[in-house]
Amino acid sequence: MISTLLNYLANSSAITYIVLALLSVYTIVVFWIFFYRNSALNRLIANEKRSLEILTTSQSKFSPLSLLNQCSNGVASKEILHACEINIIKEASVGVSWLAIISSTSPFIGLFGTVIGILESFAKFANQSKVAFSIIAPAISEALVATAAGIFVAIFAYTFHQIISRKIYELNIYLKAQAEIIVAKG
């Protein structure tokens, strides 16, 4: 397997190296965003869940743990609380759009690498009068590695985007519930 990969890299063009390098950077970015955002969102959700429980079980107007309390400085205005919700969600969703961008562009980057690889393979065979399928097939299969790499990156980017989006939605629900309780307690 390693010898096949090394052989592939040895016979690859500069475009293939660029495509694989870009997809490698994409992979690193995808995992970094996911682990960073996921851990931050898990903390925020746990905190806001505790804050909501405090609001529903006590007579206090604000939970000291709540980000809404910190943002609004204890003001129970519906407009201020709504603005705070928006600000908190905006900060919580930093980097999520990159997951969507990477999930949609990485297959095309891989496909670009494949097309270039196939064009180079056919250019190598252009001077030969007869070329058997047994000679063309390995060249095309090597070119398809770029597409596979692009799809590989896209799968993780899309999956992580969906997970993070769901957590942002959950955080938003907790914030909205708290805001409604705070306004109702007036």
Side-chain angles (χ1 to χ4, degrees):
M1 177 70 174
I2 301 225
S3 63
T4 305
L5 182 62
L6 292 175
N7 186 37
Y8 167 74
L9 291 174
N11 295 326
S12 296
S13 68
I15 295 291
T16 304
Y17 288 130
I18 291 169
V19 166
L20 292 177
L22 181 58
L23 290 172
S24 297
V25 169
Y26 267 16
T27 303
I28 292 166
V29 168
V30 163
F31 279 93
W32 183 82
I33 289 171
F34 176 72
F35 289 123
Y36 177 72
R37 284 284 102 202
N38 190 44
S39 64
L41 283 168
N42 283 338
R43 285 191 307 274
L44 288 174
I45 290 169
N47 188 40
E48 296 306 316
K49 186 175 181 179
R50 275 187 264 123
S51 298
L52 182 60
E53 289 170 359
I54 290 170
L55 280 175
T56 56
T57 59
S58 72
Q59 293 299 320
S60 67
K61 195 172 179 181
F62 272 105
S63 167
L65 302 173
S66 175
L67 291 173
L68 286 175
N69 182 27
Q70 296 167 12
C71 176
S72 67
N73 293 322
V75 178
S77 165
K78 185 176 185 177
E79 292 79 18
I80 291 175
L81 290 172
H82 181 67
C84 287
E85 286 174 40
I86 291 170
N87 189 43
I88 292 166
I89 294 301
K90 182 181 80 63
E91 289 176 11
S93 61
V94 169
V96 175
S97 60
W98 280 107
L99 293 175
I101 291 167
I102 291 171
S103 71
S104 62
T105 59
S106 61
F108 292 111
I109 293 170
L111 187 59
F112 174 74
T114 296
V115 169
I116 296 299
I118 290 173
L119 288 173
E120 289 175 347
S121 296
F122 284 145
K124 288 178 189 175
F125 303 132
N127 297 334
Q128 299 177 4
S129 61
K130 290 185 179 182
V131 180
F133 184 72
S134 60
I135 295 173
I136 294 174
I140 291 176
S141 69
E142 286 177 6
L144 289 172
V145 169
T147 297
I151 292 170
F152 177 81
V153 173
I155 289 168
F156 283 103
Y158 181 76
T159 303
F160 293 164
H161 178 267
Q162 293 301 318
I163 292 168
I164 297 297
S165 295
R166 175 62 189 166
K167 289 185 185 241
I168 291 169
Y169 173 77
E170 187 177 345
L171 176 65
N172 194 24
I173 294 298
Y174 285 126
L175 293 172
K176 286 187 182 303
Q178 287 180 69
E180 290 179 14
I181 291 170
I182 291 168
V183 169
K185 286 184 177 184

